[in-house]
Amino acid sequence: MLEVRAVSKSFGATPVLRSVSLSVARGEFLTILGESGSGKTTLLRIAAGFERPGEGEVWMDGTRIDTLPPNRRPLNTVFQHYALFPHLSVFENVAYGLRASRAPRADIALRVEQALEQVHLTGLDTRKPSQLSGGQQQRVALARALVNHPRVLLLDEPLSALDATMRRRMQGELKALQREIGISFVLVTHDQEEAMALSDRIALLHAGTLEQIDTPAALYRHPRTAYAAEFIGRTNLLRGLVRNHTATAGPFIWPLDSPDGEALFSLRPEHIRFSSAGAPPGAVRFEASVADRLFQGSAVLLTLQCPGGLRLTARVPDPAPPAGAHSFEFTPDDVVRIPVPAG
Amino acid sequence: MYSRWYKTLVTVPPLAWVILFLVLPYLLLFSYSFFSVRSGTIVHHGTLANYSTLLHNPMYVSVLLRSLRIAAIVTVLSLLLAFPLAYYVSFHAGRRKDVLYQLVIIPLWVSYLVRAYAWKTILGGGGVLNALLQHLGFSPASFLLYSPFAVVLTLTHIYTPFAFLPLYASLEHIPRSLIEASTDLGASSWRTVRTVVLPLALPGAIAGATFAFVLSLGDFLAPLLVGGPSGLMISNVVVSLFGAAYDWPLGAAVSLCMLLLVLAIVFAAGRLEKRYGLS
């Protein structure tokens, strides 16, 4: 329904977006994920209409909208720092869009109440934003956007200003809310865990280009670029070769049915385990010493010093055996080959 | 913590300055307003005669009312000019912002007298405007100079920057995301100005209005230069009472009334600003 077609944008001589295309399906929760400077916020602002694309178009339900001003687009935005009107009460903040579209008075009261109920914020109608907590302000911002029944809701890092506990709680509520009202959400965030937890699909943006757009699971299991593999979760990137159905990377060799050539391999830390008697056939075994350990609660992150100077990160369940040399293994099926970009 | 010696050092000079040049003169003014003048000398003997004169002589009341009216008109005109200007410079000037801001400030560096005289040259009998009118075949207009109109025009010109500055400052403090939020919610630019920009600029508008009103209420040069007899204001009365008329006690009484009026306005404006300011 919302479709971004080959959008490019530069600020001065600095390119911010390079021909980005993506489309959001009806009722989909799409997350635009990227580090600061990746262009993710600019992409959202182009969809909302606060920036004009340098090149490319934005379409919605068969209508071109990048030529329309923001107040004529059928979408609403939840801003990063909420941008609530400080001089208006909670009720008036939420009613703002309805008043702008000249909705009947009786309708306004009803719809504002409904929207506030949807975000579980009732009884604070007369408060000013400054009298609300961060979480409550967040809810007002949501209600203020949703009350207008947008076809797509844009959310610009809506949870970044909340503390960790509140953020986790709002993530759950955001997901539940999106399922309940069934409209498309487009969320911008730099937090990959948030993206994984909430999204139907994630669009990973890097330096203004779309690295990969996929479901969270596909993005995690089958990253198509080195950047995607490293940004989503942790990984060990190994440079190597494939020749005659055999992969070589550092000290490791395993059979692989893949075209010959240079290759990058991604091996997730949780796929490295201590060797056991019941190892599946074909597992690659190696000796390594534990150089460092990082306690993470349910697991321990180990830095492994392998033969040939290679260092790997492994994630093993706690309690882990003491420091020293141990035997480890991984299953070749868990290793993902990432195409090496030409040049 | 600062030492006692240091604290004394930094507090005493300003305090002495205020006492010597503000509190003492006002006390003197206050006591003079209860004296009287008999056959050319000031009699140091308490009386309320000056205040009764103020109340009962219609001349003083009417000049005061005229001053208030002129100040009110100047305030409204200054705000009407300053708001669109401040709005444009703050929101839409882009790269020209600093230049435009300086252009508003620069006239403040030019002597007040020069600016007032400029209007005399423009509005006068042989002035620029009348020369133009004559050139076009009209008879020269005499109402231009030496009238309340001329005073209002001059004062508006002089005090608009004073209304502009606080307005501009408050506009600069409005987060631009609020403007975006407003348009995102479907509001037109006009509606955004009306429902977001104006209410949030209100403290600045109040401060600007206070400047324009108080400064023009107490102005005596513009009425002196371009006002003529029909454009005299209350400060001109004070000047003449302290000067040619040699009635310092009455002058002191008029000054004190003005002072109280201005203090009341400043106080009320302060309250309003707080009320409409962002909490």
Side-chain angles (χ1 to χ4, degrees):
Chain A
M1 58 185 316
L2 178 66
E3 212 181 321
V4 173
R5 295 182 187 168
V7 161
S8 298
K9 175 80 180 172
S10 302
F11 290 126
T14 321
V16 182
L17 290 173
R18 302 165 206 250
S19 192
V20 172
S21 297
L22 58 86
S23 65
V24 185
R26 191 172 298 274
E28 181 181 31
F29 200 127
L30 180 87
T31 299
I32 301 171
L33 176 66
E35 318 173 274
S36 54
S38 61
K40 58 187 191 301
T41 296
T42 306
L43 186 58
L44 193 83
R45 290 173 61 80
I46 285 174
F50 305 131
E51 305 282 354
R52 309 202 98 204
E55 282 164 53
E57 298 170 359
V58 183
W59 286 69
M60 187 142 161
D61 288 335
T63 317
R64 188 171 168 187
I65 62 166
D66 58 282
T67 47
L68 298 177
N71 54 344
R72 308 252 310 273
R73 299 190 184 195
L75 24 82
N76 288 108
T77 309
V78 174
F79 291 82
Q80 185 168 13
H81 299 289
Y82 318 136
L84 298 178
F85 303 118
H87 59 299
L88 298 180
S89 65
V90 167
F91 183 94
E92 284 304 321
N93 261 285
V94 178
Y96 194 90
L98 298 175
R99 292 203 198 285
S101 63
R102 298 177 204 290
R105 203 168 278 273
D107 244 27
I108 292 179
L110 199 72
R111 281 171 68 179
V112 169
E113 281 319 305
Q114 274 174 357
L116 285 171
E117 264 167 44
Q118 255 173 354
V119 299
H120 311 294
L121 191 78
T122 44
L124 300 175
D125 291 15
T126 56
R127 297 268 189 98
K128 291 281 174 69
S130 58
Q131 299 167 307
L132 302 177
S133 70
Q136 289 169 332
Q137 291 183 24
Q138 167 71 74
R139 287 163 205 268
V140 177
L142 264 171
R144 184 178 70 172
L146 289 174
V147 76
N148 307 295
H149 300 324
R151 281 184 266 172
V152 175
L153 183 71
L154 307 175
L155 304 106
D156 185 6
E157 306 232 13
L159 308 176
S160 62
L162 301 175
D163 61 63
T165 324
M166 195 64 204
R167 186 158 60 229
R168 235 164 284 138
R169 196 167 140 202
M170 283 306 292
Q171 282 174 2
E173 287 195 24
L174 213 53
K175 183 74 199 166
L177 190 65
Q178 191 262 341
R179 266 196 220 110
E180 182 191 321
I181 50 182
I183 63 168
S184 312
F185 275 32
V186 178
L187 176 108
V188 159
T189 185
H190 62 270
D191 181 342
Q192 47 116 350
E193 278 179 40
E194 186 170 302
M196 300 280 256
L198 293 177
S199 324
D200 295 321
R201 281 192 306 158
I202 297 174
L204 180 64
L205 220 55
H206 173 51
T209 45
L210 188 63
E211 289 276 322
Q212 190 168 350
I213 178 164
D214 245 322
T215 63
L219 200 57
Y220 188 79
R221 291 187 195 128
H222 307 289
R224 279 207 298 270
T225 65
Y227 181 81
E230 285 196 301
F231 192 79
I232 309 287
R234 263 170 186 269
T235 197
N236 298 294
L237 277 184
L238 306 171
R239 195 162 278 283
L241 269 179
V242 180
R243 189 157 297 160
N244 300 326
H245 308 292
T246 307
T248 323
F252 312 123
I253 297 172
W254 68 94
L256 182 68
D257 232 358
S258 182
D260 287 5
E262 279 185 61
L264 262 181
F265 299 103
S266 161
L267 174 58
R268 297 278 182 200
E270 63 271 27
H271 290 144
I272 300 176
R273 5 167 239 278
F274 285 102
S275 300
S276 54
V284 177
R285 271 173 177 255
F286 61 97
E287 300 292 318
S289 60
V290 176
D292 201 5
R293 48 172 58 218
L294 210 72
F295 182 63
Q296 286 196 317
S298 61
V300 185
L301 272 188
L302 302 178
T303 305
L304 305 183
Q305 187 69 56
C306 307
L310 182 73
R311 275 175 168 244
L312 293 177
T313 307
R315 192 169 189 271
V316 296
D318 187 60
H326 295 280
S327 181
F328 295 88
E329 65 180 31
F330 61 86
T331 311
D333 283 351
D334 289 332
V335 181
V336 177
R337 180 181 181 183
I338 295 164
V340 178
Chain B
M1 285 304 268
Y2 296 110
S3 71
R4 179 183 289 259
W5 161 236
Y6 178 82
K7 278 192 215 161
T8 316
L9 191 74
V10 293
T11 29
V12 166
L15 204 65
W17 198 93
V18 167
I19 290 173
L20 212 59
F21 297 110
L22 274 172
V23 178
L24 275 181
Y26 280 131
L27 283 177
L28 272 176
L29 204 68
F30 183 71
S31 47
Y32 262 85
S33 73
F34 296 104
F35 298 156
S36 58
V37 178
R38 203 165 298 154
S39 49
T41 49
I42 292 167
V43 182
H44 299 252
H45 187 76
T47 168
L48 286 171
N50 298 316
Y51 290 98
S52 129
T53 312
L54 281 188
L55 279 177
H56 294 107
N57 187 334
M59 197 274 280
Y60 293 108
V61 178
S62 74
V63 174
L64 182 64
L65 283 179
R66 180 199 296 152
S67 306
L68 287 171
R69 196 170 57 237
I70 288 178
I73 297 172
V74 168
T75 304
V76 170
L77 291 179
S78 300
L79 281 181
L80 285 180
L81 284 173
F83 182 78
L85 184 64
Y87 176 72
Y88 176 79
V89 174
S90 178
F91 282 83
H92 297 294
R95 250 173 295 167
R96 293 185 302 268
K97 195 172 188 167
D98 290 341
V99 177
L100 285 173
Y101 180 79
Q102 292 304 329
L103 282 178
V104 178
I105 301 300
I106 286 170
L108 296 178
W109 302 347
V110 177
S111 159
Y112 177 110
L113 268 176
V114 172
R115 283 179 284 157
Y117 263 112
W119 282 108
K120 209 168 170 154
T121 345
I122 293 168
L123 301 172
V128 179
L129 260 181
N130 273 325
L132 184 73
L133 279 178
Q134 272 172 305
H135 185 76
L136 294 172
F138 296 99
S139 54
S142 59
F143 70 90
L144 289 177
L145 194 58
Y146 304 126
S147 63
F149 164 77
V151 176
V152 166
L153 194 63
T154 307
L155 289 179
T156 302
H157 170 230
I158 289 172
Y159 292 126
T160 296
F162 289 89
F164 170 87
L165 288 175
L167 255 179
Y168 177 76
S170 66
L171 290 179
E172 281 289 276
H173 276 111
I174 298 177
R176 295 316 190 245
S177 60
L178 295 185
I179 310 303
E180 288 179 351
S182 174
T183 44
D184 185 74
L185 292 165
S188 60
S189 353
W190 166 237
R191 194 184 177 88
T192 302
V193 168
R194 202 159 47 80
T195 56
V196 178
V197 178
L198 268 179
L200 292 177
L202 206 55
I206 293 168
T210 313
F211 275 133
F213 189 84
V214 167
L215 290 175
S216 48
L217 182 67
D219 197 276
F220 82 97
L221 266 176
L224 191 70
L225 293 173
V226 300
S230 65
L232 279 187
M233 290 173 73
I234 194 76
S235 296
N236 304 100
V237 172
V238 175
V239 170
S240 70
L241 282 173
F242 274 94
Y246 194 64
D247 195 342
W248 287 22
L250 189 55
V254 177
S255 308
L256 268 181
C257 289
M258 290 284 292
L259 181 69
L260 287 179
L261 194 64
V262 165
L263 281 179
I265 291 167
V266 171
F267 177 75
R271 292 284 297 265
L272 279 178
E273 260 181 74
K274 244 189 218 131
R275 187 165 150 206
Y276 292 111
L278 304 184
S279 42

